Amino acid sequence: MMELFKNPIFIVASIAFWVNQYLEKSMGIFIPIYHAYGDDLMAMPVVFGICLQVMRWYHPLGSQLIFTPKQVVIALVYFSVVFEILLPLRSNTYTADPIDVLCYAFGTWVFLKFMNKPALQSKRSRAL
């Protein structure tokens, strides 16, 4: 029941995010273009992937649950407003960058196109 965590896009995005965080925070190594936009590209497939998997554990549809495009767009707008408008206004740690919103949007598209699918039925289990 952890099929989404086995998705190659989720795995690559998660590893890329964590490796970058390790390099920046622990080693002080910054890869310029990735530092600026890499985490933003990886964020939505990782966040949506985790949210969808958790929802599948608790929702009656289980592994057949998918997010509607409307739900995903609302989450995209929420992320964009929080990380690109509100947080930069309240903290010097965050910088508003419209290209980040494009990265979030591309990551959202990747999630919708390649990850937001019902899980395949096991060959052992038969549909009722």
Side-chain angles (χ1 to χ4, degrees), residues 32-74:
I33 194 76
Y34 195 90
H35 172 69
Y37 302 112
D39 288 346
D40 301 317
L41 281 169
M42 303 300 132
M44 302 320 274
V46 171
V47 170
F48 285 138
I50 290 169
C51 290
L52 183 57
Q53 186 61 60
V54 170
M55 290 292 295
R56 285 178 174 177
W57 288 335
Y58 296 103
H59 196 277
L61 288 175
S63 61
Q64 297 306 301
L65 177 71
I66 61 171
F67 291 145
T68 66
K70 182 178 178 180
Q71 291 169 320
V72 174
V73 168
I74 289 169

Side-chain angles (χ1 to χ4, degrees), residues 6 8 67 124:
K6 296 176 185 175
F67 291 145
R124 289 188 210 175

